[in-house]
Amino acid sequence: MISTMPNPKYIRLEQRVLSRTLSEIVFAHEDYNHRIGTEKNCSFCKRYRHLRKQLIRNTERLTQLRKENEK
């Protein structure tokens, strides 16, 4: 039977990868004249917004798992 419970180690690994990718996007975006995440047509901004939302979701999942494990 496949577990539907997310693996905390996998989530943490995914968070590290997302954080590193976000850092690389921010670094590549430095030469642009607008703030990152503000332009709708900029591919870096689109990718940044998407990854940021994903990182927030993972953080919420980890927090929820920690609370469930404490019970």
Side-chain angles (χ1 to χ4, degrees):
M1 181 177 204
I2 297 174
S3 174
T4 58
M5 189 75 167
N7 185 343
K9 288 183 181 180
Y10 174 76
I11 295 172
R12 279 189 226 106
L13 173 64
E14 189 178 16
Q15 273 190 303
R16 284 195 300 270
V17 171
L18 288 171
S19 294
R20 190 169 296 142
T21 306
L22 280 170
S23 296
E24 290 172 4
I25 289 172
V26 169
F27 179 75
H29 192 272
E30 284 181 350
D31 294 334
Y32 288 75
N33 291 330
H34 60 273
R35 283 184 39 202
I36 192 158
T38 58
E39 293 291 318
K40 292 184 180 185
N41 296 329
C42 177
S43 63
F44 285 121
C45 291
K46 287 179 187 177
R47 188 76 179 137
Y48 175 82
R49 287 191 303 269
H50 173 74
L51 292 174
R52 190 168 173 268
K53 286 178 188 175
Q54 196 172 348
L55 187 63
I56 290 169
R57 267 188 259 123
N58 282 357
T59 303
E60 290 169 352
R61 251 195 285 167
L62 274 176
T63 304
Q64 182 182 10
L65 285 173
R66 285 187 190 121
K67 286 180 182 178
E68 288 174 4
N69 287 337
E70 289 175 357
K71 290 181 181 178

